[in-house]
PDB file of all heavy atoms in Angstrom:
ATOM      1  N   THR E 139     123.113 113.442 107.865  1.00 93.00           N
ATOM      2  CA  THR E 139     122.442 112.230 108.350  1.00 93.00           C
ATOM      3  C   THR E 139     120.966 112.488 108.684  1.00 93.00           C
ATOM      4  O   THR E 139     120.083 111.630 108.302  1.00 93.00           O
ATOM      5  CB  THR E 139     123.170 111.770 109.544  1.00 93.00           C
ATOM      6  OG1 THR E 139     124.573 111.579 109.337  1.00 93.00           O
ATOM      7  CG2 THR E 139     122.632 110.427 110.152  1.00 93.00           C
ATOM      8  N   ALA E 140     120.702 113.577 109.339  1.00 94.00           N
ATOM      9  CA  ALA E 140     119.326 113.910 109.747  1.00 94.00           C
ATOM     10  C   ALA E 140     118.445 114.138 108.504  1.00 94.00           C
ATOM     11  O   ALA E 140     117.322 113.666 108.374  1.00 94.00           O
ATOM     12  CB  ALA E 140     119.256 115.190 110.558  1.00 94.00           C
ATOM     13  N   GLN E 141     118.967 114.739 107.433  1.00 95.00           N
ATOM     14  CA  GLN E 141     118.280 114.955 106.209  1.00 95.00           C
ATOM     15  C   GLN E 141     117.940 113.637 105.463  1.00 95.00           C
ATOM     16  O   GLN E 141     116.868 113.478 104.929  1.00 95.00           O
ATOM     17  CB  GLN E 141     119.074 115.871 105.268  1.00 95.00           C
ATOM     18  CG  GLN E 141     119.140 117.375 105.715  1.00 95.00           C
ATOM     19  CD  GLN E 141     120.094 118.096 104.863  1.00 95.00           C
ATOM     20  OE1 GLN E 141     121.077 117.558 104.184  1.00 95.00           O
ATOM     21  NE2 GLN E 141     119.911 119.471 104.906  1.00 95.00           N
ATOM     22  N   LEU E 142     118.933 112.719 105.439  1.00 95.00           N
ATOM     23  CA  LEU E 142     118.715 111.453 104.777  1.00 95.00           C
ATOM     24  C   LEU E 142     117.706 110.623 105.556  1.00 95.00           C
ATOM     25  O   LEU E 142     116.840 109.964 104.954  1.00 95.00           O
ATOM     26  CB  LEU E 142     120.033 110.678 104.742  1.00 95.00           C
ATOM     27  CG  LEU E 142     121.120 111.252 103.785  1.00 95.00           C
ATOM     28  CD1 LEU E 142     122.479 110.541 103.956  1.00 95.00           C
ATOM     29  CD2 LEU E 142     120.640 111.097 102.368  1.00 95.00           C
ATOM     30  N   ILE E 143     117.701 110.677 106.911  1.00 95.00           N
ATOM     31  CA  ILE E 143     116.750 109.999 107.690  1.00 95.00           C
ATOM     32  C   ILE E 143     115.268 110.531 107.379  1.00 95.00           C
ATOM     33  O   ILE E 143     114.410 109.752 107.233  1.00 95.00           O
ATOM     34  CB  ILE E 143     117.024 109.977 109.155  1.00 95.00           C
ATOM     35  CG1 ILE E 143     118.326 109.249 109.459  1.00 95.00           C
ATOM     36  CG2 ILE E 143     115.881 109.528 110.079  1.00 95.00           C
ATOM     37  CD1 ILE E 143     118.875 109.385 110.945  1.00 95.00           C
ATOM     38  N   LEU E 144     115.220 111.801 107.397  1.00 96.00           N
ATOM     39  CA  LEU E 144     113.910 112.493 107.102  1.00 96.00           C
ATOM     40  C   LEU E 144     113.426 112.117 105.728  1.00 96.00           C
ATOM     41  O   LEU E 144     112.197 111.777 105.556  1.00 96.00           O
ATOM     42  CB  LEU E 144     114.120 113.962 107.158  1.00 96.00           C
ATOM     43  CG  LEU E 144     112.794 114.803 106.981  1.00 96.00           C
ATOM     44  CD1 LEU E 144     111.779 114.489 108.049  1.00 96.00           C
ATOM     45  CD2 LEU E 144     113.178 116.340 106.990  1.00 96.00           C
ATOM     46  N   CYS E 145     114.279 112.091 104.723  1.00 95.00           N
ATOM     47  CA  CYS E 145     113.866 111.721 103.397  1.00 95.00           C
ATOM     48  C   CYS E 145     113.492 110.246 103.333  1.00 95.00           C
ATOM     49  O   CYS E 145     112.483 109.897 102.645  1.00 95.00           O
ATOM     50  CB  CYS E 145     115.053 111.895 102.386  1.00 95.00           C
ATOM     51  SG  CYS E 145     115.401 113.674 102.058  1.00 95.00           S
ATOM     52  N   ALA E 146     114.164 109.397 104.059  1.00 94.00           N
ATOM     53  CA  ALA E 146     113.838 107.954 104.057  1.00 94.00           C
ATOM     54  C   ALA E 146     112.344 107.717 104.567  1.00 94.00           C
ATOM     55  O   ALA E 146     111.643 106.898 103.948  1.00 94.00           O
ATOM     56  CB  ALA E 146     114.792 107.229 104.908  1.00 94.00           C
ATOM     57  N   PHE E 147     112.005 108.394 105.566  1.00 95.00           N
ATOM     58  CA  PHE E 147     110.686 108.220 106.150  1.00 95.00           C
ATOM     59  C   PHE E 147     109.572 109.051 105.376  1.00 95.00           C
ATOM     60  O   PHE E 147     108.487 108.541 105.208  1.00 95.00           O
ATOM     61  CB  PHE E 147     110.574 108.579 107.660  1.00 95.00           C
ATOM     62  CG  PHE E 147     111.297 107.590 108.514  1.00 95.00           C
ATOM     63  CD1 PHE E 147     112.461 107.890 109.147  1.00 95.00           C
ATOM     64  CD2 PHE E 147     110.769 106.286 108.690  1.00 95.00           C
ATOM     65  CE1 PHE E 147     113.171 107.018 109.939  1.00 95.00           C
ATOM     66  CE2 PHE E 147     111.488 105.376 109.507  1.00 95.00           C
ATOM     67  CZ  PHE E 147     112.660 105.697 110.125  1.00 95.00           C
ATOM     68  N   SER E 148     109.899 110.202 104.930  1.00 95.00           N
ATOM     69  CA  SER E 148     109.027 111.038 104.091  1.00 95.00           C
ATOM     70  C   SER E 148     108.605 110.284 102.780  1.00 95.00           C
ATOM     71  O   SER E 148     107.529 110.400 102.383  1.00 95.00           O
ATOM     72  CB  SER E 148     109.653 112.377 103.859  1.00 95.00           C
ATOM     73  OG  SER E 148     109.859 113.058 104.992  1.00 95.00           O
ATOM     74  N   TRP E 149     109.636 109.572 102.197  1.00 94.00           N
ATOM     75  CA  TRP E 149     109.386 108.861 100.889  1.00 94.00           C
ATOM     76  C   TRP E 149     108.275 107.898 101.039  1.00 94.00           C
ATOM     77  O   TRP E 149     107.364 107.769 100.282  1.00 94.00           O
ATOM     78  CB  TRP E 149     110.652 108.169 100.456  1.00 94.00           C
ATOM     79  CG  TRP E 149     110.659 107.642  99.110  1.00 94.00           C
ATOM     80  CD1 TRP E 149     110.698 106.300  98.802  1.00 94.00           C
ATOM     81  CD2 TRP E 149     110.727 108.337  97.892  1.00 94.00           C
ATOM     82  NE1 TRP E 149     110.627 106.075  97.489  1.00 94.00           N
ATOM     83  CE2 TRP E 149     110.715 107.320  96.842  1.00 94.00           C
ATOM     84  CE3 TRP E 149     110.644 109.680  97.575  1.00 94.00           C
ATOM     85  CZ2 TRP E 149     110.708 107.669  95.526  1.00 94.00           C
ATOM     86  CZ3 TRP E 149     110.707 110.017  96.185  1.00 94.00           C
ATOM     87  CH2 TRP E 149     110.654 109.047  95.153  1.00 94.00           C
ATOM     88  N   SER E 150     108.294 107.076 102.220  1.00 94.00           N
ATOM     89  CA  SER E 150     107.323 106.031 102.343  1.00 94.00           C
ATOM     90  C   SER E 150     105.975 106.648 102.729  1.00 94.00           C
ATOM     91  O   SER E 150     104.929 106.181 102.262  1.00 94.00           O
ATOM     92  CB  SER E 150     107.702 105.151 103.565  1.00 94.00           C
ATOM     93  OG  SER E 150     107.884 105.879 104.759  1.00 94.00           O
ATOM     94  N   ILE E 151     106.002 107.750 103.514  1.00 95.00           N
ATOM     95  CA  ILE E 151     104.704 108.419 103.836  1.00 95.00           C
ATOM     96  C   ILE E 151     103.976 108.976 102.651  1.00 95.00           C
ATOM     97  O   ILE E 151     102.749 108.864 102.416  1.00 95.00           O
ATOM     98  CB  ILE E 151     104.920 109.505 104.936  1.00 95.00           C
ATOM     99  CG1 ILE E 151     105.324 108.883 106.285  1.00 95.00           C
ATOM    100  CG2 ILE E 151     103.661 110.373 105.105  1.00 95.00           C
ATOM    101  CD1 ILE E 151     105.785 109.869 107.307  1.00 95.00           C
ATOM    102  N   PHE E 152     104.761 109.579 101.723  1.00 95.00           N
ATOM    103  CA  PHE E 152     104.225 110.199 100.541  1.00 95.00           C
ATOM    104  C   PHE E 152     103.541 109.128  99.610  1.00 95.00           C
ATOM    105  O   PHE E 152     102.386 109.315  99.289  1.00 95.00           O
ATOM    106  CB  PHE E 152     105.393 110.873  99.764  1.00 95.00           C
ATOM    107  CG  PHE E 152     104.905 111.274  98.322  1.00 95.00           C
ATOM    108  CD1 PHE E 152     104.119 112.413  98.113  1.00 95.00           C
ATOM    109  CD2 PHE E 152     105.372 110.512  97.212  1.00 95.00           C
ATOM    110  CE1 PHE E 152     103.737 112.723  96.877  1.00 95.00           C
ATOM    111  CE2 PHE E 152     104.943 110.955  95.988  1.00 95.00           C
ATOM    112  CZ  PHE E 152     104.058 111.988  95.790  1.00 95.00           C
ATOM    113  N   TRP E 153     104.260 108.051  99.355  1.00 93.00           N
ATOM    114  CA  TRP E 153     103.765 107.071  98.418  1.00 93.00           C
ATOM    115  C   TRP E 153     102.489 106.278  99.039  1.00 93.00           C
ATOM    116  O   TRP E 153     101.558 106.098  98.366  1.00 93.00           O
ATOM    117  CB  TRP E 153     104.851 106.006  98.021  1.00 93.00           C
ATOM    118  CG  TRP E 153     105.777 106.580  97.065  1.00 93.00           C
ATOM    119  CD1 TRP E 153     107.105 106.867  97.248  1.00 93.00           C
ATOM    120  CD2 TRP E 153     105.430 107.049  95.709  1.00 93.00           C
ATOM    121  NE1 TRP E 153     107.585 107.364  96.087  1.00 93.00           N
ATOM    122  CE2 TRP E 153     106.642 107.518  95.136  1.00 93.00           C
ATOM    123  CE3 TRP E 153     104.298 107.045  94.980  1.00 93.00           C
ATOM    124  CZ2 TRP E 153     106.686 108.047  93.832  1.00 93.00           C
ATOM    125  CZ3 TRP E 153     104.363 107.563  93.619  1.00 93.00           C
ATOM    126  CH2 TRP E 153     105.564 107.957  93.138  1.00 93.00           C
ATOM    127  N   MET E 154     102.550 106.033 100.318  1.00 94.00           N
ATOM    128  CA  MET E 154     101.419 105.252 100.986  1.00 94.00           C
ATOM    129  C   MET E 154     100.198 106.205 101.098  1.00 94.00           C
ATOM    130  O   MET E 154      99.057 105.751 100.972  1.00 94.00           O
ATOM    131  CB  MET E 154     101.813 104.709 102.264  1.00 94.00           C
ATOM    132  CG  MET E 154     102.502 103.442 102.209  1.00 94.00           C
ATOM    133  SD  MET E 154     101.850 102.212 100.975  1.00 94.00           S
ATOM    134  CE  MET E 154     100.137 101.981 101.647  1.00 94.00           C
ATOM    135  N   THR E 155     100.391 107.519 101.243  1.00 95.00           N
ATOM    136  CA  THR E 155      99.301 108.380 101.223  1.00 95.00           C
ATOM    137  C   THR E 155      98.569 108.438  99.900  1.00 95.00           C
ATOM    138  O   THR E 155      97.366 108.449  99.875  1.00 95.00           O
ATOM    139  CB  THR E 155      99.794 109.816 101.671  1.00 95.00           C
ATOM    140  OG1 THR E 155     100.416 109.776 102.941  1.00 95.00           O
ATOM    141  CG2 THR E 155      98.575 110.865 101.637  1.00 95.00           C
ATOM    142  N   LEU E 156      99.449 108.402  98.893  1.00 94.00           N
ATOM    143  CA  LEU E 156      98.909 108.367  97.542  1.00 94.00           C
ATOM    144  C   LEU E 156      98.099 107.029  97.236  1.00 94.00           C
ATOM    145  O   LEU E 156      97.045 107.018  96.713  1.00 94.00           O
ATOM    146  CB  LEU E 156      99.988 108.547  96.558  1.00 94.00           C
ATOM    147  CG  LEU E 156      99.602 108.870  95.093  1.00 94.00           C
ATOM    148  CD1 LEU E 156      98.930 110.207  95.015  1.00 94.00           C
ATOM    149  CD2 LEU E 156     100.864 108.935  94.213  1.00 94.00           C
ATOM    150  N   VAL E 157      98.736 105.957  97.661  1.00 93.00           N
ATOM    151  CA  VAL E 157      98.117 104.612  97.463  1.00 93.00           C
ATOM    152  C   VAL E 157      96.742 104.561  98.249  1.00 93.00           C
ATOM    153  O   VAL E 157      95.696 104.126  97.676  1.00 93.00           O
ATOM    154  CB  VAL E 157      99.011 103.505  97.842  1.00 93.00           C
ATOM    155  CG1 VAL E 157      98.253 102.130  98.007  1.00 93.00           C
ATOM    156  CG2 VAL E 157     100.215 103.384  96.978  1.00 93.00           C
ATOM    157  N   ILE E 158      96.751 104.976  99.459  1.00 94.00           N
ATOM    158  CA  ILE E 158      95.578 104.924 100.346  1.00 94.00           C
ATOM    159  C   ILE E 158      94.435 105.803  99.661  1.00 94.00           C
ATOM    160  O   ILE E 158      93.276 105.425  99.643  1.00 94.00           O
ATOM    161  CB  ILE E 158      95.820 105.357 101.754  1.00 94.00           C
ATOM    162  CG1 ILE E 158      96.718 104.392 102.470  1.00 94.00           C
ATOM    163  CG2 ILE E 158      94.516 105.514 102.527  1.00 94.00           C
ATOM    164  CD1 ILE E 158      96.092 102.996 102.724  1.00 94.00           C
ATOM    165  N   TYR E 159      94.804 106.990  99.209  1.00 93.00           N
ATOM    166  CA  TYR E 159      93.874 107.956  98.609  1.00 93.00           C
ATOM    167  C   TYR E 159      93.066 107.236  97.403  1.00 93.00           C
ATOM    168  O   TYR E 159      91.908 107.307  97.354  1.00 93.00           O
ATOM    169  CB  TYR E 159      94.578 109.150  98.120  1.00 93.00           C
ATOM    170  CG  TYR E 159      93.635 110.074  97.346  1.00 93.00           C
ATOM    171  CD1 TYR E 159      92.787 110.887  97.964  1.00 93.00           C
ATOM    172  CD2 TYR E 159      93.766 110.178  95.954  1.00 93.00           C
ATOM    173  CE1 TYR E 159      91.893 111.747  97.256  1.00 93.00           C
ATOM    174  CE2 TYR E 159      92.903 110.984  95.235  1.00 93.00           C
ATOM    175  CZ  TYR E 159      92.028 111.820  95.865  1.00 93.00           C
ATOM    176  OH  TYR E 159      91.199 112.587  95.177  1.00 93.00           O
TER     177      TYR E 159
END
Side-chain angles (χ1 to χ4, degrees):
T139 303
Q141 289 173 339
L142 290 172
I143 291 171
L144 181 62
C145 287
F147 288 110
S148 298
W149 189 251
S150 63
I151 292 171
F152 169 76
W153 284 115
M154 279 314 301
T155 300
L156 195 63
V157 168
I158 293 292
Y159 173 76

